[in-house]
Amino acid sequence: PRLVFFFFLAVNDRMLKVKSILVTQEAPTDPNSPYLKLAEKFKLKVDFRPFIQVEPVPLKEFRKQKIDILQHTAIIFTSRHSVDHFFTICKELKIEMPPDMKYFCISDQTSNYLQKYIVIRKRKIFSGLKDTPELLELIRKHKSEKFLFPCSDIRKNDIPDYLRANGFDFSEA
């Protein structure tokens, strides 16, 4: 959960109480969500509106990148969206992922989400604990792999910069 800040406005030396909060993400499905608890405790109206919409790359545009997925031996996932869009592209291309493919995930949540698409086996999935340095440490131990990094066009450059600086064989898609 993200932090929620309460702002009070000073008008004529008076404080106006916050009655409504806008949270820029999807509404939580868990009834024990901290947002819902705050709303109940302080009698607030909490509006959930996702401001960012992630759209998959059309197959035609992906083909223009001339990336052969099966030529890679490992895939780096940094979000559930990247997992969904990657396997959607694979399905459209009628590609079945080989059982020896390795998956590097930024967090356990992302690696558990992979179960939706693959059968999880030992030594196949490597996951960090929600931060990039831990993921990069896992990747460093597998220098001989050829990595595929499915990512957004708007992203941080820390992973590709690290892979380039350390001489890894990788492709961005």
Side-chain angles (χ1 to χ4, degrees):
R2 297 200 169 106
L3 295 175
V4 178
F5 297 98
F6 294 93
F7 294 100
F8 294 94
L9 304 172
V11 177
N12 298 334
D13 296 325
R14 290 184 167 185
M15 300 296 275
L16 296 177
K17 197 171 184 182
V18 173
K19 296 177 185 169
S20 177
I21 296 175
L22 175 63
V23 179
T24 60
Q25 65 184 34
E26 300 251 346
T29 55
D30 183 14
N32 294 326
S33 165
Y35 297 114
L36 301 177
K37 287 182 179 179
L38 279 172
E40 186 179 313
K41 182 177 178 180
F42 295 104
K43 296 180 176 76
L44 298 169
K45 179 184 174 203
V46 180
D47 293 317
F48 294 94
R49 301 270 192 286
F51 283 178
I52 298 173
Q53 184 175 352
V54 180
E55 294 180 6
V57 173
L59 184 60
K60 190 175 184 179
E61 191 175 320
F62 178 78
R63 283 192 172 137
K64 287 180 184 176
Q65 295 179 17
K66 296 184 180 179
I67 294 174
D68 185 2
I69 294 173
L70 296 177
Q71 292 299 317
H72 297 82
T73 58
I75 302 169
I76 302 170
F77 291 119
T78 55
S79 70
R80 294 186 336 177
H81 287 294
S82 65
V83 173
D84 282 335
H85 298 312
F86 174 78
F87 283 101
T88 301
I89 293 271
C90 287
K91 185 177 179 181
E92 290 175 5
L93 290 171
K94 296 181 176 122
I95 293 175
E96 189 173 321
M97 297 309 292
D100 59 340
M101 182 68 75
K102 293 181 181 175
Y103 302 93
F104 292 83
C105 301
I106 193 122
S107 67
D108 284 335
Q109 180 183 14
T110 307
S111 63
N112 290 336
Y113 191 72
L114 270 174
Q115 290 180 5
K116 185 175 175 180
Y117 298 100
I118 64 167
V119 177
I120 294 183
R121 294 192 183 115
K122 285 185 180 181
R123 294 189 219 151
K124 189 176 183 182
I125 296 179
F126 305 90
S127 62
L129 297 173
K130 277 206 179 241
D131 62 348
T132 306
E134 288 186 15
L135 177 62
L136 296 176
E137 185 64 30
L138 291 169
I139 290 171
R140 186 181 61 81
K141 295 175 184 176
H142 297 269
K143 193 160 179 114
S144 63
E145 302 293 336
K146 183 171 182 184
F147 291 93
L148 176 64
F149 180 41
C151 58
S152 171
D153 55 348
I154 302 169
R155 59 157 169 73
K156 291 182 181 177
N157 288 327
D158 48 357
I159 293 174
D161 288 348
Y162 176 84
L163 294 173
R164 258 185 232 101
N166 290 293
F168 283 87
D169 187 7
F170 80 101
S171 304
E172 288 183 60

